[in-house]
Amino acid sequence: MRENHRSDTADYRSVFLDDRPLIDTRAPTEFIKGSFPTAINLPLMSDNEREAVGTCYKQRGQQAAIALGHELVSGKTKEARVSAWVQYARDNPDGYLFCFRGGLRSQISQHWLHEAGIDYPRITGGYKAMRNFLIDELEIAAHDCRFTILSGMTGTGKTEIIAQLSNAIDLEGHANHRGSSFGKKATPQPTQINFENGLAIDLLKRRARKQNHFVLEDESRLIGKCSIPFSLHRKMQQSPIVWLEDDFEQRVDRILDDYVIKLCDAFIRAHGRERGAEIYAASLRQNLFRIAKRLGGKRFQEVDAIMQEALRQQLDCGDTSRHRCWITLLLRDYYDPMYQHQIASKAERTLYRGRRHEVIEYLQAGSD
C-alpha cells in the first residue's frame, strides 16, 4: 500500500507558513552552511561520496558520475539511508524532500522512497529556490513595513521590552547574541544563512497575520558574527526612535545579572561546572580584549586587573559583587560617552523618551 499521495510543490510560502517538515538530502557540509528551521539532514551522499562523484563528473561526464554514485551508495549503505527516509516520511507524512536545485539527488531519493512503498513529494527548485524566496521576502518586508527602533544606553533592558511586545522582532534572539562586545552566549550563533532564513520566516509569518509595523532594537550592522541584511539595516537607520531611560545603578545591576551571573550559569549548564566556569571566565576576558584598543592601554590594564580579581572572587566563593567595579568603569568611561554621541546624531529621529513602563505603553499604543 502506497503512502503520502501528495504532489511536488513550488508553494514555498505555504511550506514556511505551515512549518512543513523537510528532508534535506544534500551532503552534511552543505547542510551545516545553512538550511531551514524544520529541515533534517538525511543525505543521499556523504561528503566524501559527493566529492568523488563531483570529481568523476568533471573528468568523465554525467553518466559516469551517476554510475559511480550508484556504486558508492548501494547495498547496506543504500538500505540504511532509505530506511532513515522511510521512518521520517512515516513520522512526518505532511513533509517534503529537497536537494540543492530540485534535481538529480532529490529525484533519486524520491524514486528510492517510491520503491520502498512511499510516495513523498519534492520541493520544486530545491534549496536554491526556497532560499531565493526568503531573500526576496526580506527585501519586500524591508521596503513595505514600518519600523520603530528601540534605543537607549547599555544596560537599560531594551531586550526585555522587546520580549514583552507582540509586534517586536528579536534580532538578537535570531542571532543568539546580545549585540555588544560582551554579547557572546554559551551556545553558538547560527550561520549567516540560518540567521537570515529564520528572520525571513519570522517576518513572513507575522505579515501573514497582517502585522506590518514592527519594533526592533537599535543594532549595529553586525550582531556578533551575524550581519543584518543591508536593506533592513538601512531602513532601520531611517526609522523613528524611541529612547529608553534608566538609572545608572539599575543599569549596573542589570548588566551584572545578564552578563555575569546568568552567563556563568549558562556556560556551566552547557559544559559542566568546572569546564563551564573556565570557559566563561576566558570568554569574559576575551570580550574585554576586543575593545582594548578603544579603551587605551592604561584603562584596559586597569579594567582587566579588576575583572581578573572579580572572576577569582566569583569562582572561589560565588561572590559577584566585585564585578560591579569594572562594569561601572566601562559604562562611565566607554559605553556612555559613545551613546551620548549617538543621542545627538539621532535627535531628529527620536519621537519619544521615557522610562520602562512609559516606553512600553507608548510602543503598545502605537502598534497596528
Side-chain angles (χ1 to χ4, degrees):
M1 180 178 178
R2 308 223 67 84
E3 301 182 39
N4 300 319
H5 292 286
R6 293 183 299 115
S7 301
D8 295 349
T9 188
D11 186 0
Y12 315 123
R13 182 178 301 276
S14 293
V15 168
F16 293 121
L17 288 178
D18 297 335
D19 289 325
R20 295 291 189 181
L22 298 168
I23 299 176
D24 187 338
T25 67
R26 297 176 304 153
T29 52
E30 296 174 283
F31 180 81
I32 289 170
K33 290 177 183 177
S35 192
F36 308 104
T38 60
I40 183 174
N41 189 212
L42 298 175
L44 172 67
M45 293 185 290
S46 69
D47 293 329
N48 290 337
E49 291 161 355
R50 175 173 172 261
E51 183 178 0
V53 169
T55 300
C56 182
Y57 178 85
K58 292 177 183 178
Q59 295 175 347
R60 299 169 55 197
Q62 184 181 46
Q63 292 305 314
I66 293 173
L68 177 60
H70 281 283
E71 179 183 339
L72 292 173
V73 186
S74 60
K76 291 185 177 180
T77 298
K78 176 182 175 181
E79 289 176 12
R81 291 177 192 175
V82 173
S83 176
W85 297 334
V86 167
Q87 185 62 54
Y88 188 84
R90 287 178 174 162
D91 291 343
N92 301 275
D94 58 338
Y96 296 88
L97 61 83
F98 66 91
C99 62
F100 183 65
R101 291 190 180 89
L104 193 57
R105 282 184 286 180
S106 59
Q107 290 173 19
I108 291 172
S109 303
Q110 189 180 49
H111 177 67
W112 286 355
L113 268 170
H114 176 82
E115 290 180 335
I118 293 180
D119 292 319
Y120 209 63
R122 289 185 300 133
I123 298 290
T124 305
Y127 165 86
K128 187 174 183 180
M130 289 190 288
R131 169 74 174 147
N132 287 337
F133 170 79
L134 291 179
I135 290 173
D136 289 344
E137 284 299 312
L138 273 174
E139 293 293 317
I140 293 169
H143 181 270
D144 292 350
C145 295
R146 291 195 300 121
F147 300 96
T148 298
I149 307 303
L150 177 61
S151 193
M153 298 286 198
T154 299
T156 51
K158 300 181 289 293
T159 302
E160 296 169 14
I161 290 181
I162 290 293
Q164 295 182 50
L165 300 173
S166 61
N167 67 327
I169 299 288
D170 187 0
L171 294 172
E172 294 183 359
H174 282 293
N176 196 37
H177 194 280
R178 294 302 296 264
S180 70
S181 300
F182 287 81
K184 183 180 179 181
K185 295 189 176 183
T187 50
Q189 287 193 259
T191 64
Q192 178 65 26
I193 289 173
N194 285 342
F195 169 67
E196 292 175 0
N197 286 349
L199 178 58
I201 293 168
D202 191 0
L203 283 164
L204 181 71
K205 289 180 176 180
R206 290 168 179 269
R207 298 192 72 206
R209 299 196 298 265
K210 307 303 181 184
Q211 283 189 351
N212 283 292
H213 175 208
F214 300 103
V215 179
L216 303 176
E217 186 172 342
D218 201 356
E219 306 283 358
S220 61
R221 180 81 191 278
L222 283 176
I223 306 177
K225 68 178 183 179
C226 293
S227 178
I228 299 173
F230 175 77
S231 57
L232 177 59
H233 194 253
R234 180 177 57 188
K235 184 71 170 284
M236 290 170 64
Q237 292 176 309
Q238 300 166 352
S239 298
I241 291 172
V242 170
W243 188 269
L244 175 62
E245 297 177 336
D246 203 358
D247 297 331
F248 187 88
E249 285 304 317
Q250 289 182 324
R251 293 165 54 209
V252 173
D253 289 344
R254 188 173 289 108
I255 291 172
L256 176 66
D257 188 50
D258 287 343
Y259 290 79
V260 174
I261 298 171
K262 289 179 180 176
L263 185 62
C264 182
D265 289 344
F267 273 103
I268 288 173
R269 286 195 303 272
H271 302 283
R273 180 160 297 279
E274 185 174 344
R275 181 60 178 155
E278 291 176 0
I279 297 174
Y280 151 74
S283 177
L284 201 62
R285 291 196 66 210
Q286 184 181 43
N287 293 337
L288 181 62
F289 273 96
R290 288 194 181 97
I291 60 173
K293 289 184 178 179
R294 284 175 281 176
L295 283 174
K298 183 178 180 180
R299 182 52 51 85
F300 166 75
Q301 291 176 5
E302 178 185 5
V303 175
D304 186 42
I306 296 171
M307 180 182 284
Q308 289 187 66
E309 177 59 30
L311 285 167
R312 279 193 292 270
Q313 190 168 304
Q314 177 187 9
L315 300 181
D316 285 347
C317 61
D319 183 357
T320 60
S321 60
R322 184 64 175 164
H323 285 285
R324 291 180 179 277
C325 297
W326 67 261
I327 293 171
T328 297
L329 283 174
L330 285 185
L331 284 183
R332 187 187 66 202
D333 298 337
Y334 177 71
Y335 284 106
D336 284 8
M338 182 170 57
Y339 272 92
Q340 289 292 347
H341 173 73
Q342 292 183 17
I343 292 172
S345 66
K346 298 174 180 178
E348 292 185 358
R349 292 164 50 207
T350 303
L351 296 179
Y352 185 81
R353 298 169 67 106
R355 300 180 74 83
R356 172 176 301 271
H357 70 280
E358 297 169 329
V359 164
I360 291 174
E361 289 178 2
Y362 180 87
L363 291 172
Q364 288 175 336
S367 64
D368 291 339

